[in-house]
Amino acid sequence: MADALIAVALLLVAASATAAVATRDPARQALVLSVLGVVLAVLFTTLQAPDVGLSQLAVGAALTPLLLLLTVRKVRRRPRREEDPR
């Protein structure tokens, strides 16, 4: 039973990592990265490492995607400067 659960978690990790790489829009990519962080936290918990799973949940599923979304928002709001045609 535990081996089947680990295999399902590994398949979910592979699928979500592939989706994160295949996504072109940076905002959607950050959201898929958050899903990948949650799936990795489930995998670590399944592998009897709850402390690593909680760390992954905090950093990989919450903090990193939030920082990426804020960065994308700030970059998209910045007006483009005209280059000096000297």
Side-chain angles (χ1 to χ4, degrees), residues 30 33-39 41 55-66:
L33 184 65
S34 178
V35 171
L36 176 61
V38 170
V39 173
S55 298
Q56 176 63 29
L57 195 61
V59 175
L63 189 63
T64 303
L66 176 67

Side-chain angles (χ1 to χ4, degrees), residues 6-38:
I6 292 172
V8 169
L10 284 171
L11 287 174
L12 286 173
V13 167
S16 58
T18 303
V21 171
T23 306
R24 303 287 293 173
D25 182 36
R28 286 186 182 172
Q29 200 170 33
L31 293 176
V32 174
L33 184 65
S34 178
V35 171
L36 176 61
V38 170

Side-chain angles (χ1 to χ4, degrees), residues 14 24 27-29 32 52-53 61-62 68 73 78 80 82 86:
R24 303 287 293 173
R28 286 186 182 172
Q29 200 170 33
V32 174
V52 179
L68 287 172
R73 181 177 168 208
R78 185 183 312 168
R80 295 182 184 228
E82 298 287 331
R86 289 185 191 183

